[in-house]
């Protein structure tokens, strides 16, 4: 986490940005919220697009009473194992994979993301995604207790955006969350209350990738937050 935060601070310093609005999705939400707590003078408003993680009860307590050894071993294996590229024929195949994994994404948006998100494979034939899966090691350096403390220290206005199908994403990774809609909604309410000044908007027919699923509505909600009255929640 500290390296991601240092990257963001270096961006502010390099471009001589005194203050800015930060918008973070998923992992980006964790990074932006921690940054806003550490450097409040740099952040005028904060948008968290499904950027606070799954229901808190899905994790072991951070008090050291229980250590998820399997998760640690899996992460170490991921870091130390030789990296295998997932080679695709071309950007068109990458687009097709995006559309298969994100059924609501438009073909135009999928083509744009695929075109920007692939690089030539190491062997010279085909393409592979440009991101590095080893970045997932950040989750082993993220204390959820610390995140909740940081949220309480954020003074600027905060907009939390989730999709009405957001629980489906977390339940795929943690099957015990399937059908726990009441738990999911109560957890979002509890997290929102940790902030000094936060409001929550739910976008219909959208999951974790809400900016893929409903890009126009997502932009509308953010625009209202930045330039006018906050749009009412969809659900």
């Amino acid at each position: 986490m500290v390296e991601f935060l240092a990257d963001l601070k270096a961006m502010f310093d390099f471009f001589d940005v005194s203050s800015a609005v930060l918008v973070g999705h998923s992992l980006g939400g964790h990074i932006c919220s921690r940054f806003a707590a550490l450097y409040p003078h740099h952040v005028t408003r904060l948008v968290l697009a499904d950027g606070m993680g799954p229901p808190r009860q899905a994790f072991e307590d951070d008090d050291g009473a229980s250590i998820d050894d399997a998760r640690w071993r899996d992460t170490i294996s991921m870091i130390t194992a030789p990296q295998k590229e997932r080679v695709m024929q071309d950007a068109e195949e990458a687009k097709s994979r995006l559309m298969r994994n994100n059924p609501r994404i438009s073909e135009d948006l999928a083509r744009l993301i695929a075109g920007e998100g692939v690089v030539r494979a190491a062997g010279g034939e085909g393409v592979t995604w440009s991101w590095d899966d080893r970045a997932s090691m950040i989750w082993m350096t993220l204390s959820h207790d610390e995140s909740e403390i940081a949220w309480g220290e954020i003074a600027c206005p905060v907009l939390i955006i989730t999709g009405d199908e957001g629980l489906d994403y977390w339940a795929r990774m943690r099957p015990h969350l399937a059908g726990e809609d009441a738990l999911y909604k109560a957890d979002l309410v509890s997290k929102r209350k940790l902030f000094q000044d936060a409001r929550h908007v739910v976008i219909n027919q959208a999951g974790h990738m809400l900016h893929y699923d409903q890009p126009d509505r997502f932009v509308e909600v953010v625009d209202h937050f930045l330039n006018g009255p906050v749009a009412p929640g969809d659900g």
Side-chain angles (χ1 to χ4, degrees):
M1 173 59 78
V2 70
E3 292 178 350
F4 279 98
L5 293 170
D7 283 343
L8 187 51
K9 182 62 167 62
M11 288 276 289
F12 274 79
D13 294 344
F14 183 82
F15 291 105
D16 195 24
V17 176
S18 59
S19 62
V21 174
L22 290 184
V23 181
H25 168 252
S26 194
L27 169 58
H30 286 282
I31 295 167
C32 289
S33 59
R34 191 66 62 89
F35 187 90
L38 290 171
Y39 301 101
H41 58 287
H42 278 326
V43 185
T44 58
R45 293 199 176 196
L46 176 64
V47 178
L48 302 179
D50 207 356
M52 299 186 299
R56 184 69 169 87
Q57 290 85 340
F59 292 100
E60 297 289 349
D61 292 337
D62 285 336
D63 60 6
S66 179
I67 297 176
D68 190 345
D69 293 336
R71 191 159 63 101
W72 275 91
R73 285 193 292 267
D74 288 345
T75 303
I76 291 170
S77 297
M78 176 182 64
I79 296 170
T80 58
Q83 297 301 296
K84 297 180 180 179
E85 290 185 323
R86 291 174 288 180
V87 178
M88 298 166 284
Q89 183 176 355
D90 50 29
E92 186 66 21
E93 182 181 346
K95 182 206 76 173
S96 297
R97 288 193 183 187
L98 269 176
M99 296 185 69
R100 184 170 63 250
N101 294 328
N102 301 275
R104 285 204 175 97
I105 194 172
S106 70
E107 185 171 3
D108 287 344
L109 181 55
R111 180 177 292 109
L112 174 65
I113 294 170
E116 297 289 339
V118 299
V119 293
R120 181 64 57 185
E125 295 186 6
V127 299
T128 186
W129 295 112
S130 60
W131 55 75
D132 191 332
D133 287 338
R134 289 174 295 182
S136 295
M137 74 178 73
I138 187 176
W139 300 119
M140 303 308 295
T141 71
L142 186 65
S143 163
H144 299 279
D145 284 342
E146 287 183 0
S147 291
E148 293 185 354
I149 293 171
W151 295 338
E153 295 175 351
I154 296 173
C156 69
V158 178
L159 173 63
I160 298 166
I161 312 175
T162 58
D164 65 339
E165 300 170 4
L167 179 61
D168 295 344
Y169 172 79
W170 304 115
R172 284 198 298 270
M173 294 181 287
R174 299 172 174 83
H176 66 279
L177 290 175
E180 295 286 349
D181 297 270
L183 168 65
Y184 177 64
K185 291 178 181 179
D187 181 75
L188 286 172
V189 171
S190 296
K191 288 175 176 174
R192 179 185 60 79
K193 290 181 178 179
L194 293 173
F195 294 88
Q196 298 178 33
D197 179 10
R199 66 285 335 257
H200 178 204
V201 174
V202 180
I203 295 180
N204 280 335
Q205 297 184 328
H208 180 65
M209 306 299 288
L210 40 85
H211 52 306
Y212 285 7
D213 297 341
Q214 300 294 339
D216 292 340
R217 178 60 178 148
F218 178 79
V219 170
E220 178 187 18
V221 168
V222 174
D223 181 66
H224 273 279
F225 175 64
L226 299 182
N227 299 306
V230 178
D234 288 322

